[in-house]
Amino acid sequence: MTQRVTQRRLPGVRSAAVGSVLALAAGLAFVAGSAGPAAAIPAAAAVKTSEGCEGGGTARDAAKAASVTAATAAADAARPGSAAVGTAAERISYSLPAQAPIGLWTDSSVTLRTPVSKGTVRLDVTSRGFSTDSLAVQRYAPESHRWVDLTTTPSGSGSPQHGVLTFPLTTSASAAKPHTVALRFMDLDRPGTFTVTASVTDGKGHTYRAPARTATTTRPEASVSGWRSGTTLTRGGPAGEFTLTVKNTTDRAYPRPYASYFAYGAGTGHALTPKDIDLQQYRPGHGWERVRLVAGGCDPGMSATLRPAVNGPLAPGATATYRLRVAVAGSAPRDVTAADAGVTAGNGDLSYFSQELPFAIKGGK
């Protein structure tokens, strides 16, 4: 399966409140040559897609826009807080939580206690472990009751580690009457840290800076057990069994947890189809249930969204367990002798984990 990962700016996604460069995949975005956590990717890309597959880019872009839209809708359900942060002695104060779970909006704010006449608020953002282009940043505009995208100044680098975001501001703030601007960040790439230094020019030649704040971008931990390297399945033979475990090690609940499975196999003249793979999931109180695989849109390949392992959000400290088994039908084409396969876990339409589970195919009646 194609392992190439590309990064590019998506204007359509930015208009849906992302403003980031996402890790895209020609199929599932796996870390090339390894099994384990991958960059955040859209769940809809779980089927191998060829370079010339018409409409593939549109589908991927739509999936990313959908993931950000869903996260935004959930965050917008609550009006942003306007409480002042910092101390009365500070001209400008800035707040940022210690954690910023990937794929979720993280609240932040700037509080001014000095009058600003046609001034500018500036956020200097430095990242480690991922590009600053992977951060979506917005401020709340109370006059329109809307969140407004903040865009970084182009750096000329393909993977910048520093970004500058600004917005104009005029206020008569004072120590007795502080003015607070609500902000929020969302990382759509991978774990790391980002540091924000907030400053303001007051329009009269003065610049005030707040102490820098650093957040760690986190995501739930996921692992696969029971699937051995070099696994071989026999046509019409017994299934291979494995377990996907997801534990929310962050300090925030993930509202729409999901997991999926995919498979792709092609021979000299045939390719695997959903009828050739028997995917089953064990659920307590229900036993083993078959999970329907769906064929890819324009390339051979198939994927399935697994049945929920938890009811509702995945709370901090909670674990979701997916017990699965896979078998190859006796009627599977003889010229297909191997399959790329794997699982992903994520939230909504955004995946934060993927692992390859390939297998060889032999024999049969």
Side-chain angles (χ1 to χ4, degrees):
M1 188 173 186
T2 304
Q3 304 258 353
R4 182 174 57 83
V5 176
T6 61
Q7 289 187 325
R8 61 189 177 90
R9 189 175 298 277
L10 300 168
V13 179
R14 177 174 289 281
S15 67
V18 56
S20 66
V21 171
L22 301 179
L24 305 182
L28 277 177
F30 289 117
V31 176
S34 68
I41 59 171
V47 178
K48 181 178 182 292
T49 304
S50 71
E51 197 72 18
C53 179
E54 184 177 359
T58 300
R60 290 192 297 269
D61 292 0
K64 294 174 191 62
S67 68
V68 178
T69 299
T72 299
D76 286 351
R79 186 182 179 90
S82 58
V85 298
T87 67
E90 295 176 324
R91 301 289 186 96
I92 179 173
S93 306
Y94 178 70
S95 69
L96 181 69
Q99 282 194 36
I102 292 173
L104 303 179
W105 284 112
T106 295
D107 293 336
S108 176
S109 65
V110 169
T111 294
L112 300 174
R113 294 182 175 85
T114 187
V116 173
S117 175
K118 296 182 179 179
T120 299
V121 175
R122 171 173 168 147
L123 305 176
D124 284 85
V125 184
T126 302
S127 63
R128 297 189 65 180
F130 57 90
S131 165
T132 51
D133 275 350
S134 299
L135 282 173
V137 187
Q138 295 183 333
R139 70 175 176 90
Y140 187 72
E143 62 277 5
S144 62
H145 306 289
R146 293 178 58 249
W147 286 95
V148 180
D149 294 329
L150 298 182
T151 57
T152 57
T153 301
S155 66
S157 170
S159 182
Q161 303 299 305
H162 180 258
V164 177
L165 305 100
T166 62
F167 58 91
L169 184 70
T170 296
T171 179
S172 58
S174 64
K177 189 179 179 181
H179 177 86
T180 298
V181 179
L183 303 165
R184 63 185 184 186
F185 291 77
M186 189 189 335
D187 174 22
L188 290 169
D189 192 1
R190 63 190 70 230
T193 63
F194 66 93
T195 300
V196 182
T197 302
S199 61
V200 62
T201 57
D202 65 0
K204 298 179 180 179
H206 304 103
T207 298
Y208 305 102
R209 290 179 176 81
R213 305 294 182 193
T214 299
T216 300
T217 58
T218 56
R219 63 184 173 196
E221 292 182 355
S223 62
V224 174
S225 60
W227 194 267
R228 298 186 303 275
S229 176
T231 291
T232 298
L233 299 180
T234 302
R235 295 178 185 83
E241 188 173 328
F242 65 95
T243 300
L244 167 64
T245 303
V246 180
K247 182 176 182 180
N248 187 357
T249 51
T250 78
D251 63 357
R252 300 262 300 281
Y254 273 76
R256 299 192 300 147
Y258 86 92
S260 65
Y261 179 85
F262 86 97
Y264 169 83
T268 56
H270 302 86
L272 295 178
T273 64
K275 66 180 178 59
D276 300 318
I277 300 294
D278 182 13
L279 174 66
Q280 296 185 12
Q281 179 178 352
Y282 183 85
R283 293 200 302 157
H286 297 269
W288 288 102
E289 299 176 332
R290 187 162 188 174
V291 180
R292 179 173 173 265
L293 287 156
V294 179
C298 56
D299 261 345
M302 63 200 84
S303 63
T305 299
L306 304 180
R307 293 182 172 89
V310 295
N311 293 321
L314 186 63
T319 298
T321 302
Y322 304 85
R323 185 179 168 191
L324 304 163
R325 63 187 184 189
V326 179
V328 178
S331 59
R334 301 291 169 151
D335 60 323
V336 181
T337 59
D340 290 321
V343 290
T344 64
N347 182 67
D349 295 309
L350 195 71
S351 169
Y352 48 70
F353 171 86
S354 63
Q355 183 161 325
E356 294 185 44
L357 304 171
F359 56 88
I361 303 172
K362 71 174 185 179
K365 298 178 181 179

